[in-house]
């Protein structure tokens, strides 16, 4: 039987309490019957409508019929009742929901929806670690465009037009640019070194920056090559920077990255934008520099030499400073060192991965192992 508001004859406390309790019980029972939006609306109107809703009726019938001495207590009872009924009607909003006429209820005891968190890609993770080491030394991070002009990628780094040193870094050129002067032609940058010039154009010395980013070369993909890979460049320029600063800084960085036991070793090399130039080797962090991993196990990563080449470096060539001389980089007054390393190869070694392509195929089963 649907609830109707009774007329009260007995206004004793006990009777008031009982009538209020009956009303609440009736309302509670009705909330369970709400199965659709239409039900919900009807339910809400039945109890709350200003004109002739049950609460309005109670207000009218119970309060107005109350004898003088019971008015106060009746008023209090009705007020409490209104609060409770309003709560029940409000809760029915949540529990009574219409979805294709099937009642949907929220079961708070069910496990939640799991949304797996992604993990940092091993190359990006390695990149962050390297950048972190230099940030602790006071270096800031700079970035530059991947589509670069011939000027920044080559010319301002002391690779003159037609110089054979350009052959070591072949890349993809943007098509149909023959009408442009050579220095304005666009290409995919072959290294992060162009950001050295871009940063020096914007910031006067002293400068200490690291430059992470993607680079491209005309290399067919295989286990140790990829037409796209990652580099971190470094540049420090100030008055009186020496090769000793370069050695000290890189020795510290290698120990921070590979452990305090590693030894560093510089071999002379050539890069157009540094003079002198060197390649930095560290003792193999796989075999500890022995070249062997056991009695019959030659160490592959270091090709049994005990040394692994990690980067190219050198003192910034004065010819490079000439291109940014007007921004305070007079080669007679400032000096600096630079370095550049391939991140992907370090990540390969670090995680013992034997095929570079695995990093770029996006196979979740491979990537999950680094999560
Ligand atoms: N840009 C060079 C490369 O991609 C790496 C490099 C060597 C960067 C020496 C430097 C440097 O800053 O001083 O092969």
């Amino acid at each position: 039987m649907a609830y109707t508001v009774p007329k009260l004859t007995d206004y004793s406390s006990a009777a008031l309490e009982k009538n209020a309790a009956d009303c609440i019980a009736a309302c509670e029972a009705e909330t369970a019957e709400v199965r659709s939006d239409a039900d919900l609306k009807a339910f809400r109107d039945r109890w709350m409508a200003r004109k002739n809703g049950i609460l309005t009726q109670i207000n009218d019938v119970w309060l107005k019929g109350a004898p003088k001495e019971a008015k106060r207590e009746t008023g209090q009872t009705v007020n409490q009742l209104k609060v409770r009924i309003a709560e029940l009607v409000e809760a029915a909003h949540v529990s009574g929901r219409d979805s294709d006429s099937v009642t949907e209820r929220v079961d708070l005891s069910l496990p939640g929806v799991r949304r797996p968190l992604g993990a940092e890609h091993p190359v990006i993770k390695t990149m962050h670690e390297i950048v972190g080491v230099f940030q602790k030394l006071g270096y800031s991070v700079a970035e530059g465009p991947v589509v670069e002009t011939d000027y920044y990628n080559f010319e301002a780094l002391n690779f003159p037009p037609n110089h054979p040193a350009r052959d070591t870094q072949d890349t993809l050129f943007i098509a149909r640019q023959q009408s442009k002067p050579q220095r304005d032609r666009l290409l995919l940058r072959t290294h992060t070194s162009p950001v050295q010039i871009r940063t020096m154009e914007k910031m006067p010395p002293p400068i200490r920056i690291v430059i992470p980013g993607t680079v491209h070369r005309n290399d067919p993909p295989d286990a140790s090559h990829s037409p796209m890979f990652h580099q971190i460049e470094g540049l420090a320029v100030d008055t009186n920077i020496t090769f000793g600063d370069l050695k000290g800084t890189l020795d510290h960085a290698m120990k921070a990255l590979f452990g305090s036991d590693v030894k560093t070793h510089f071999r002379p090399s050539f890069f157009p934008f540094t003079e002198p130039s060197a390649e930095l080797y560290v003792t193999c962090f796989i075999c500890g520099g022995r070249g062997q991993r056991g009695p019959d196990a030659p160490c592959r990563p270091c090709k049994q030499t005990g040394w692994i080449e990690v980067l190219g470096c050198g003192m910034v060539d004065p010819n490079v400073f000439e291109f940014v001389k007007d921004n305070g980089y007079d080669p007679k007054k400032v000096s600096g060192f630079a370095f550049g390393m391939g991140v992907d190869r370090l990540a390969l070694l670090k995680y013992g991965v034997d095929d570079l392509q695995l990093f770029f195929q996006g196979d979740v089963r491979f990537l999950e192992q680094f999560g």
Side-chain angles (χ1 to χ4, degrees):
M1 267 288 282
Y3 177 81
T4 51
V5 178
K7 278 211 168 59
L8 300 190
T9 46
D10 183 356
Y11 275 89
S12 67
S13 298
L16 283 171
E17 223 168 81
K18 173 160 190 325
N19 275 287
D22 287 349
C23 177
I24 289 166
C27 184
E28 262 169 3
E30 286 185 28
T31 58
E33 301 302 316
V34 172
R35 303 218 186 281
S36 65
D37 278 351
D39 285 355
L40 184 62
K41 185 174 181 318
F43 168 73
R44 201 183 299 139
D45 288 348
R46 174 169 148 74
W47 287 87
M48 305 295 284
R50 256 173 229 276
K51 227 176 152 188
N52 230 19
I54 290 177
L55 285 183
T56 306
Q57 290 178 42
I58 287 178
N59 208 51
D60 290 352
V61 176
W62 293 7
L63 265 184
K64 282 182 190 149
K68 220 171 168 195
E69 65 280 6
K71 277 243 181 330
R72 227 187 108 152
E73 198 180 353
T74 311
Q76 283 170 352
T77 307
V78 170
N79 281 343
Q80 282 166 10
L81 186 62
K82 280 181 181 168
V83 171
R84 181 70 193 122
I85 298 292
E87 279 171 7
L88 288 170
V89 171
E90 185 62 28
H93 270 285
V94 181
S95 60
R97 189 176 293 146
D98 187 11
S99 106
D100 292 328
S101 74
V102 176
T103 305
E104 230 186 60
R105 281 168 188 274
V106 177
D107 181 349
L108 294 176
S109 68
L110 288 173
V113 180
R114 267 180 213 279
R115 300 195 193 284
L117 271 185
E120 253 181 347
H121 189 282
V123 172
I124 301 298
K125 200 162 155 182
T126 308
M127 212 162 190
H128 284 159
E129 276 171 27
I130 300 170
V131 167
V133 166
F134 286 96
Q135 277 179 319
K136 286 207 193 101
L137 293 175
Y139 282 63
S140 28
V141 178
E143 283 183 307
V146 176
V147 180
E148 190 50 286
T149 60
D150 183 285
Y151 175 76
Y152 287 110
N153 195 79
F154 290 127
E155 191 180 335
L157 288 167
N158 200 30
F159 292 80
N162 303 320
H163 194 280
R166 289 183 174 224
D167 293 349
T168 60
Q169 300 195 4
D170 188 17
T171 184
L172 297 162
F173 290 80
I174 308 298
R176 285 189 275 286
Q177 300 188 87
Q178 287 79 354
S179 59
K180 286 187 188 169
Q182 176 156 5
R183 55 163 54 182
D184 295 337
R185 292 186 197 164
L186 296 171
L187 47 87
L188 296 184
R189 69 176 176 194
T190 57
H191 47 180
T192 41
S193 309
V195 190
Q196 288 188 19
I197 305 289
R198 286 185 174 274
T199 312
M200 286 193 283
E201 282 179 349
K202 278 187 264 164
M203 290 164 59
I207 207 170
R208 278 158 186 68
I209 47 164
V210 278
I211 305 150
T214 51
V215 303
H216 293 76
R217 300 247 176 122
N218 183 8
D219 283 333
D222 65 26
S224 55
H225 293 87
S226 164
M228 186 286 298
F229 57 103
H230 301 80
Q231 284 190 339
I232 294 180
E233 185 81 12
L235 175 69
V237 183
D238 208 331
T239 47
N240 294 322
I241 295 239
T242 67
F243 202 89
D245 297 316
L246 164 65
K247 287 183 83 172
T249 304
L250 292 180
D251 185 71
H252 165 84
M254 295 305 122
K255 290 186 160 72
L257 284 172
F258 303 116
S260 50
D261 291 345
V262 300
K263 294 194 179 63
T264 53
H265 167 71
F266 291 79
R267 290 186 198 168
S269 184
F270 171 78
F271 299 101
F273 38 92
T274 44
E275 182 61 36
S277 304
E279 274 155 11
L280 172 62
Y281 287 73
V282 295
T283 40
C284 178
F285 38 85
I286 312 287
C287 65
R290 287 184 300 276
Q292 295 281 121
R293 298 170 84 170
D296 289 319
C299 184
R300 272 216 301 160
C302 65
K303 301 190 189 96
Q304 300 175 58
T305 63
W307 293 96
I308 288 182
E309 188 206 328
V310 278
L311 53 78
C313 58
M315 301 306 290
V316 179
D317 193 303
N319 289 348
V320 171
F321 285 139
E322 286 293 337
F323 286 95
V324 284
K325 196 173 177 172
D326 294 344
N327 201 26
Y329 293 88
D330 181 342
K332 293 201 184 67
K333 295 190 180 134
V334 295
S335 58
F337 65 76
F339 56 88
M341 59 184 112
V343 183
D344 315 74
R345 211 172 61 87
L346 291 178
L348 278 186
L349 293 168
K350 189 167 163 213
Y351 293 106
V353 175
D354 56 13
D355 186 350
L356 181 61
Q357 297 310 313
L358 287 166
F359 282 151
F360 306 127
Q361 284 162 347
D363 187 329
V364 176
R365 291 166 305 176
F366 170 74
L367 295 171
E368 266 174 357
Q369 300 175 60
F370 305 94

